[in-house]
Amino acid sequence: MLDAFSKTVAAADSKGGFVGGSELESLKSFITEGNKRLDAVNAVASNASCCVTDAIAGICCESPGLTSPGGGVYSNRKMAACLRDGEIILRYISYALLAGDASVLQDRCLNGLKETYSALGVPAGSTSRAVSIMKAICIAHINNTNTEGFAGSKFRKMDVTPGDCSSLASECGSYFDAVIEAIG
Ligand SMILES: CCC1=C(C)/C(=C/C2=NC(=C\c3[nH]c(/C=C4\NC(=O)[C@H](C)[C@H]4CC)c(C)c3CCC(=O)O)/C(CCC(=O)O)=C2C)NC1=O
């Protein structure tokens, strides 16, 4: 598990070089942008259960077969496992966003997940769709541009200092993309 700092050290050490120049510049901006990053992590974490349930409700509406006999979330046990998985994935994405590095997500959540899903018959396409709905929700929360939720439910606005969070939003988007790539 690496963060933006340890990753820089590991890269420098593998080349036998000092940390300097552009590497230090990028860590400097990591620090100066730190409050924004913490707001972004908070935007993801404090809306997590709403985000997960909205995404799972979304895939169930789009694919009614999921809740029919034999479907991916047919039975309370499977629905509970699915909601739990959505929450686990979102939690590791929030850790990656905090660290500014995807390794915690890759090592502790995605490693072997595709194989687990295929062994259990968990539908990868529907899982990817749920992850992409969560991505849209989290990006809206980070940019504070969220207006209306699924079926007209109102999302709350975050109480933060206004500013440009587009690069954090796209970084966070890349972690969701890594999940979709890993299970796809
Ligand atoms: C380290 C982090 C970690 C991850 C990532 C994890 C995932 C994970 N999801 C599982 C099951 C599952 N995951 C789902 C998820 C879904 N089914 C659908 O149709 C939907 C599309 C989708 C929700 C979006 C379901 C239904 C099961 C149970 C499958 C079964 O037992 O038949 C299992 C098998 C064991 C269990 O049921 O608990 C694991 C290990 N566990 C972990 O500890």
Side-chain angles (χ1 to χ4, degrees):
M1 172 181 164
L2 296 171
D3 56 38
F5 294 91
S6 30
K7 191 180 182 181
T8 305
V9 169
D13 188 37
S14 72
K15 292 184 294 184
F18 286 94
V19 176
S22 62
E23 293 140 326
L24 280 182
E25 280 308 316
S26 90
L27 288 178
K28 225 186 225 174
S29 95
F30 188 84
I31 292 169
T32 54
E33 299 282 296
N35 284 332
K36 270 191 202 175
R37 183 174 291 274
L38 296 181
D39 281 343
V41 171
N42 188 38
V44 173
S46 64
N47 293 298
S49 68
C50 178
C51 175
V52 171
T53 48
D54 195 57
I56 309 296
I59 59 170
C60 291
C61 286
E62 288 173 356
S63 311
L66 283 171
T67 47
S68 307
V73 294
Y74 180 72
S75 77
N76 288 335
R77 182 187 67 78
K78 285 192 183 179
M79 179 57 96
C82 179
L83 286 162
R84 178 211 57 199
D85 282 13
E87 195 138 346
I88 291 173
I89 289 168
L90 195 57
R91 186 161 55 82
Y92 279 98
I93 286 174
S94 78
Y95 295 162
L97 188 60
L98 182 63
D101 186 278
S103 70
V104 62
L105 172 68
Q106 293 287 357
D107 300 347
R108 301 196 186 181
C109 180
L110 302 181
N111 186 11
L113 189 57
K114 183 181 182 163
E115 292 71 20
T116 303
Y117 277 176
S118 72
L120 291 168
V122 172
S126 295
T127 308
S128 294
R129 175 68 186 136
V131 172
S132 74
I133 296 172
M134 294 201 293
K135 174 182 172 180
I137 292 170
C138 289
I139 286 178
H141 277 128
I142 291 170
N143 285 325
N144 227 10
T145 54
N146 48 310
T147 49
E148 274 187 38
F150 184 74
S153 64
K154 296 285 181 228
F155 275 134
R156 80 182 156 114
K157 287 268 191 194
M158 300 302 294
D159 186 16
V160 288
T161 313
D164 180 8
C165 286
S166 53
S167 80
L168 277 162
S170 76
E171 178 188 325
C172 191
S174 77
Y175 302 137
F176 285 97
D177 294 342
V179 175
I180 292 168
E181 198 182 317
I183 59 182

Coordinates of all heavy atoms in Angstrom, one line a residue, residues 1-4 6-7 37 41 88-113 171 175 178-179:
M1 N 0.8 -1.2 0.0 CA 0.0 0.0 0.0 C 0.9 1.2 0.0 O 1.7 1.4 0.9 CB -0.9 0.0 1.3 CG -1.7 1.2 1.5 SD -2.6 1.1 3.0 CE -3.0 2.8 3.3
L2 N 0.7 2.1 -1.0 CA 1.5 3.3 -1.1 C 0.6 4.5 -1.2 O -0.5 4.5 -1.6 CB 2.3 3.2 -2.5 CG 3.3 2.1 -2.6 CD1 3.8 2.1 -4.1 CD2 4.5 2.3 -1.7
D3 N 1.2 5.7 -0.7 CA 0.6 6.9 -0.9 C 1.4 7.8 -1.9 O 2.5 7.3 -2.3 CB 0.3 7.7 0.4 CG 1.6 7.9 1.2 OD1 2.6 8.1 0.6 OD2 1.5 7.8 2.4
A4 N 1.0 9.0 -2.2 CA 1.7 9.8 -3.1 C 3.2 10.0 -2.7 O 4.1 10.1 -3.6 CB 1.0 11.2 -3.3
S6 N 5.1 7.9 -0.5 CA 5.9 6.7 -0.6 C 6.1 6.2 -2.0 O 7.2 5.6 -2.3 CB 5.3 5.6 0.3 OG 4.0 5.7 0.4
K7 N 5.2 6.5 -2.9 CA 5.3 6.1 -4.3 C 6.5 6.9 -4.9 O 7.3 6.3 -5.7 CB 4.0 6.4 -5.0 CG 4.0 5.8 -6.4 CD 2.7 6.2 -7.1 CE 2.6 5.5 -8.5 NZ 1.3 5.9 -9.1
R37 N -8.6 18.1 -1.4 CA -8.6 16.7 -1.4 C -9.4 16.1 -0.2 O -10.3 15.2 -0.4 CB -7.2 16.1 -1.4 CG -7.1 14.6 -1.5 CD -5.6 14.2 -1.6 NE -5.1 14.6 -2.9 CZ -5.2 13.9 -4.0 NH1 -5.8 12.7 -4.1 NH2 -4.6 14.3 -5.2
V41 N -12.7 13.8 -0.4 CA -12.9 12.5 0.4 C -14.1 12.5 1.2 O -14.9 11.6 1.2 CB -11.6 12.2 1.3 CG1 -11.9 11.0 2.2 CG2 -10.4 12.0 0.4
I88 N -18.0 -1.7 0.0 CA -16.5 -2.0 0.1 C -15.8 -1.3 -1.0 O -14.7 -0.6 -0.8 CB -16.3 -3.5 -0.1 CG1 -16.8 -4.3 1.2 CG2 -14.8 -3.8 -0.3 CD1 -16.7 -5.8 1.0
I89 N -16.3 -1.4 -2.3 CA -15.6 -0.7 -3.4 C -15.5 0.8 -3.2 O -14.4 1.4 -3.4 CB -16.3 -1.1 -4.7 CG1 -16.1 -2.6 -5.1 CG2 -15.9 -0.2 -5.9 CD1 -17.0 -3.1 -6.2
L90 N -16.6 1.4 -2.8 CA -16.6 2.9 -2.6 C -15.6 3.2 -1.5 O -14.9 4.3 -1.6 CB -18.0 3.3 -2.3 CG -18.2 4.8 -2.4 CD1 -17.9 5.3 -3.8 CD2 -19.7 5.2 -2.0
R91 N -15.5 2.4 -0.4 CA -14.6 2.7 0.7 C -13.2 2.7 0.2 O -12.4 3.6 0.5 CB -14.9 1.7 1.8 CG -14.1 1.9 3.1 CD -14.7 1.1 4.2 NE -14.9 -0.3 4.0 CZ -13.9 -1.2 4.2 NH1 -12.7 -0.8 4.6 NH2 -14.1 -2.5 4.0
Y92 N -12.8 1.6 -0.6 CA -11.4 1.6 -1.1 C -11.1 2.7 -2.0 O -10.0 3.2 -2.1 CB -11.1 0.2 -1.6 CG -10.8 -0.8 -0.6 CD1 -11.7 -1.7 -0.1 CD2 -9.5 -0.8 0.0 CE1 -11.4 -2.5 1.0 CE2 -9.2 -1.6 1.1 CZ -10.2 -2.5 1.5 OH -9.9 -3.4 2.6
I93 N -12.1 3.2 -2.8 CA -11.9 4.3 -3.7 C -11.7 5.6 -2.8 O -10.8 6.4 -3.2 CB -13.1 4.5 -4.6 CG1 -13.1 3.4 -5.7 CG2 -13.1 5.9 -5.3 CD1 -14.3 3.4 -6.7
S94 N -12.4 5.7 -1.7 CA -12.2 6.9 -0.9 C -10.8 6.8 -0.3 O -10.1 7.9 -0.1 CB -13.2 7.0 0.2 OG -13.0 6.1 1.3
Y95 N -10.3 5.6 0.1 CA -8.9 5.5 0.6 C -7.9 5.9 -0.5 O -6.9 6.6 -0.2 CB -8.5 4.1 1.0 CG -9.3 3.5 2.1 CD1 -9.3 2.1 2.3 CD2 -10.0 4.3 3.1 CE1 -10.0 1.5 3.4 CE2 -10.7 3.7 4.1 CZ -10.7 2.3 4.3 OH -11.4 1.7 5.3
A96 N -8.1 5.5 -1.7 CA -7.2 5.8 -2.8 C -7.2 7.3 -3.1 O -6.1 7.9 -3.3 CB -7.6 5.1 -4.1
L97 N -8.4 7.9 -3.0 CA -8.5 9.4 -3.2 C -7.7 10.1 -2.1 O -7.0 11.1 -2.3 CB -9.9 9.8 -3.2 CG -10.2 11.3 -3.6 CD1 -9.7 11.6 -5.0 CD2 -11.7 11.5 -3.5
L98 N -7.8 9.6 -0.9 CA -7.1 10.2 0.3 C -5.6 10.1 0.1 O -4.8 11.1 0.3 CB -7.5 9.6 1.6 CG -6.9 10.1 2.8 CD1 -7.3 11.6 3.1 CD2 -7.3 9.3 4.1
A99 N -5.1 8.9 -0.4 CA -3.7 8.7 -0.5 C -3.1 9.3 -1.8 O -1.9 9.4 -2.0 CB -3.4 7.2 -0.5
G100 N -4.0 9.6 -2.8 CA -3.6 10.1 -4.1 C -2.9 9.0 -4.9 O -2.0 9.2 -5.7
D101 N -3.3 7.7 -4.6 CA -2.6 6.6 -5.2 C -3.6 5.4 -5.2 O -4.2 5.1 -4.2 CB -1.3 6.3 -4.4 CG -0.5 5.2 -5.1 OD1 -0.8 4.0 -4.9 OD2 0.4 5.5 -5.8
A102 N -3.6 4.6 -6.3 CA -4.6 3.5 -6.4 C -4.1 2.2 -5.8 O -4.9 1.2 -5.8 CB -4.9 3.3 -7.9
S103 N -2.9 2.2 -5.3 CA -2.4 0.8 -4.9 C -3.2 0.2 -3.8 O -3.4 -1.0 -3.8 CB -0.9 0.9 -4.5 OG -0.7 1.6 -3.3
V104 N -3.7 0.9 -2.8 CA -4.5 0.3 -1.8 C -5.8 -0.3 -2.4 O -6.2 -1.4 -2.0 CB -4.9 1.3 -0.6 CG1 -5.7 2.5 -1.2 CG2 -5.6 0.7 0.5
L105 N -6.4 0.3 -3.4 CA -7.6 -0.2 -4.1 C -7.2 -1.5 -4.8 O -7.9 -2.5 -4.8 CB -8.1 0.9 -5.0 CG -9.2 0.5 -6.0 CD1 -10.5 0.2 -5.2 CD2 -9.4 1.7 -7.0
Q106 N -6.1 -1.4 -5.6 CA -5.7 -2.5 -6.4 C -5.3 -3.7 -5.5 O -5.8 -4.8 -5.8 CB -4.4 -2.2 -7.2 CG -4.6 -1.1 -8.3 CD -5.4 -1.6 -9.5 OE1 -5.8 -2.8 -9.6 NE2 -5.7 -0.8 -10.4
D107 N -4.5 -3.5 -4.5 CA -4.0 -4.6 -3.7 C -5.0 -5.3 -2.8 O -5.1 -6.5 -2.6 CB -2.8 -4.2 -2.8 CG -1.6 -3.6 -3.6 OD1 -1.6 -3.8 -4.8 OD2 -0.8 -3.0 -3.0
R108 N -5.9 -4.4 -2.1 CA -6.7 -5.0 -1.1 C -8.2 -5.2 -1.5 O -8.9 -5.9 -0.8 CB -6.7 -4.0 0.1 CG -5.3 -3.9 0.7 CD -5.3 -3.3 2.1 NE -4.0 -3.0 2.5 CZ -3.7 -2.5 3.7 NH1 -4.6 -2.3 4.5 NH2 -2.4 -2.3 4.0
C109 N -8.6 -4.7 -2.7 CA -10.0 -4.8 -3.1 C -10.1 -5.5 -4.4 O -10.8 -6.4 -4.6 CB -10.6 -3.4 -3.1 SG -12.3 -3.4 -3.6
L110 N -9.3 -5.1 -5.4 CA -9.5 -5.6 -6.8 C -8.7 -6.8 -7.1 O -9.1 -7.6 -8.0 CB -9.1 -4.5 -7.8 CG -9.9 -3.2 -7.6 CD1 -9.5 -2.1 -8.7 CD2 -11.4 -3.4 -7.7
N111 N -7.7 -7.1 -6.4 CA -6.8 -8.2 -6.6 C -7.7 -9.5 -6.4 O -8.1 -9.9 -5.3 CB -5.7 -8.2 -5.6 CG -4.6 -9.3 -5.8 OD1 -4.7 -10.0 -6.9 ND2 -3.8 -9.5 -4.9
G112 N -7.9 -10.2 -7.5 CA -8.6 -11.5 -7.5 C -10.2 -11.4 -7.5 O -10.9 -12.4 -7.5
L113 N -10.7 -10.1 -7.5 CA -12.1 -9.9 -7.5 C -12.8 -10.5 -8.7 O -13.9 -11.1 -8.6 CB -12.5 -8.4 -7.3 CG -13.9 -8.1 -7.0 CD1 -14.4 -8.8 -5.8 CD2 -14.1 -6.6 -6.9
E171 N -9.5 12.6 -11.2 CA -8.6 11.5 -10.5 C -9.5 10.5 -9.8 O -9.3 9.3 -10.0 CB -7.8 12.2 -9.4 CG -6.9 11.2 -8.6 CD -6.2 11.8 -7.4 OE1 -5.8 13.0 -7.5 OE2 -6.1 11.1 -6.4
Y175 N -10.2 6.1 -10.5 CA -10.3 5.0 -9.6 C -11.5 4.1 -9.9 O -11.4 2.9 -9.8 CB -10.3 5.4 -8.1 CG -9.0 6.3 -7.8 CD1 -9.1 7.4 -7.0 CD2 -7.8 5.9 -8.2 CE1 -8.0 8.2 -6.7 CE2 -6.6 6.6 -7.9 CZ -6.8 7.8 -7.1 OH -5.7 8.5 -6.8
A178 N -10.7 2.1 -12.8 CA -9.8 1.0 -12.5 C -10.6 -0.2 -12.0 O -10.3 -1.4 -12.3 CB -8.8 1.4 -11.5
V179 N -11.7 0.1 -11.3 CA -12.6 -1.0 -10.8 C -13.3 -1.7 -12.0 O -13.3 -2.9 -12.1 CB -13.6 -0.5 -9.8 CG1 -14.6 -1.6 -9.4 CG2 -13.0 0.2 -8.6

